[in-house]
Amino acid sequence: ETGVTQTPRHLVMGMTNKKSLKCEQHLGHNAMYWYKQSAKKPLELMFVYNFKEQTENNSVPSRFSPECPNSSHLFLHLHTLQPEDSALYLCASSQGVRSNQPQHFGDGTRLSIL
Amino acid sequence: QQQVKQSPQSLIVQKGGISIINCAYENTAFDYFPWYQQFPGKGPALLIAIRPDVSEKKEGRFTISFNKSAKQFSLHIMDSQPGDSATYFCAATSNTGNQFYFGTGTSLTVIP
């Protein structure tokens, strides 16, 4: 398998559930990212990891908890989410976090909060 | 505050025509400007990118025009094809503080 793989592709959960999104990259990259994509809004950068260390947390609510056990895997743990959290969650990776190193995206997890 | 402003929101072009999407930014610390293409059900994919020391970059039918003084850049798709129908995002990034900002996207439809 190549590229960036995200699972599951679709997730429906209640506000009191706990679930996790998984991302795996097979590109040998050192940086990984979580983005939120909502209709008619810009992609919102949520978290950045470089060599497994979190380097950016863009004021994301604590109900989203990232985990990066190694440079190839990234998780987003979800708990007590709100209806406004329904969106497409995209994972991306890049060789490093320098601006000219392009990000490669997965196909996302479509999250629906009931 | 939106760091990158993109227009139009949607665009319909005849096959063979030129598609033009515009973006503007304010932060002069941005030093890399990529464009991404996204098909339904897929993640964004890098299409073409430019640095601010270059005024134009061309790759096949896709051209970025960059105006540093106006802080504007645009994507031109020449000889547009139905297969180009997708959503296009401009972005601006900076080495300073892991800054990555995207526009709101333009939905392009190329009609045969």
Side-chain angles (χ1 to χ4, degrees), chain A residues 9 33 35 37 40-43 45 48 55-56 88 90 97-103 105-107, chain B residues 2 9 31-32 36 38 41-46 51 89 93-95 97-100 102-104:
Chain A
R9 293 296 312 276
Y33 312 78
Y35 285 88
Q37 185 175 32
K40 295 186 171 51
K41 292 178 69 176
L43 270 72
L45 180 64
V48 180
T55 60
E56 195 74 17
L88 181 68
L90 290 162
V97 293
R98 291 186 63 81
S99 59
N100 63 346
Q101 291 170 316
Q103 297 180 22
F105 285 84
D107 291 334
Chain B
Q2 202 168 314
Q9 186 175 318
D31 60 4
Y32 188 66
Y36 286 83
Q38 185 176 25
K42 296 290 187 181
L46 179 67
R51 298 193 69 98
F89 294 92
T93 70
S94 167
N95 279 334
N98 293 329
Q99 297 188 53
F100 305 93
F102 286 76
T104 49

Side-chain angles (χ1 to χ4, degrees), chain B residues 25 30-33 50-55 66 68:
Chain B
Y25 65 98
F30 292 141
D31 60 4
Y32 188 66
F33 300 87
I50 197 168
R51 298 193 69 98
D53 54 349
V54 176
S55 61
F66 191 87
K68 188 174 182 178

Side-chain angles (χ1 to χ4, degrees), chain B residues 21-82:
Chain B
I21 304 170
N22 301 300
C23 284
Y25 65 98
E26 285 298 323
N27 189 344
T28 55
F30 292 141
D31 60 4
Y32 188 66
F33 300 87
W35 285 88
Y36 286 83
Q37 179 188 56
Q38 185 176 25
F39 292 104
K42 296 290 187 181
L46 179 67
L47 190 61
I48 187 173
I50 197 168
R51 298 193 69 98
D53 54 349
V54 176
S55 61
E56 184 176 283
K57 183 173 182 180
K58 184 176 181 179
E59 289 184 3
R61 295 184 295 107
F62 300 92
T63 300
I64 300 178
S65 296
F66 191 87
N67 186 330
K68 188 174 182 178
S69 60
K71 290 186 281 188
Q72 295 175 347
F73 58 110
S74 59
L75 176 69
H76 297 238
I77 306 174
M78 311 300 286
D79 186 26
S80 298
Q81 299 296 311

Side-chain angles (χ1 to χ4, degrees), chain A:
Chain A
E1 226 178 314
T2 59
V4 180
T5 304
Q6 289 187 243
T7 54
R9 293 296 312 276
H10 302 272
L11 179 62
V12 179
M13 56 187 287
M15 289 191 285
T16 58
N17 292 156
K18 290 185 179 181
K19 296 286 185 183
S20 296
L21 310 185
K22 180 183 176 183
C23 176
E24 183 174 1
Q25 59 97 358
H26 306 271
L27 299 168
H29 289 165
N30 298 309
M32 297 188 77
Y33 312 78
W34 279 117
Y35 285 88
K36 177 182 180 182
Q37 185 175 32
S38 305
K40 295 186 171 51
K41 292 178 69 176
L43 270 72
E44 300 172 50
L45 180 64
M46 300 174 71
F47 301 104
V48 180
Y49 278 83
N50 192 28
F51 290 98
K52 302 188 301 177
E53 298 297 321
Q54 186 178 123
T55 60
E56 195 74 17
N57 175 343
N58 281 348
S59 303
V60 179
S62 59
R63 57 186 184 269
F64 295 92
S65 175
E67 178 189 1
C68 188
N70 55 61
S71 293
S72 299
H73 294 86
L74 185 64
F75 296 89
L76 188 62
H77 303 299
L78 317 171
H79 65 96
T80 324
L81 294 193
Q82 303 300 310
E84 61 265 28
D85 297 324
S86 297
L88 181 68
Y89 288 84
L90 290 162
C91 172
S93 71
S94 61
Q95 186 60 48
V97 293
R98 291 186 63 81
S99 59
N100 63 346
Q101 291 170 316
Q103 297 180 22
H104 297 253
F105 285 84
D107 291 334
T109 295
R110 174 69 61 184
L111 177 64
S112 299
I113 306 300
L114 301 178

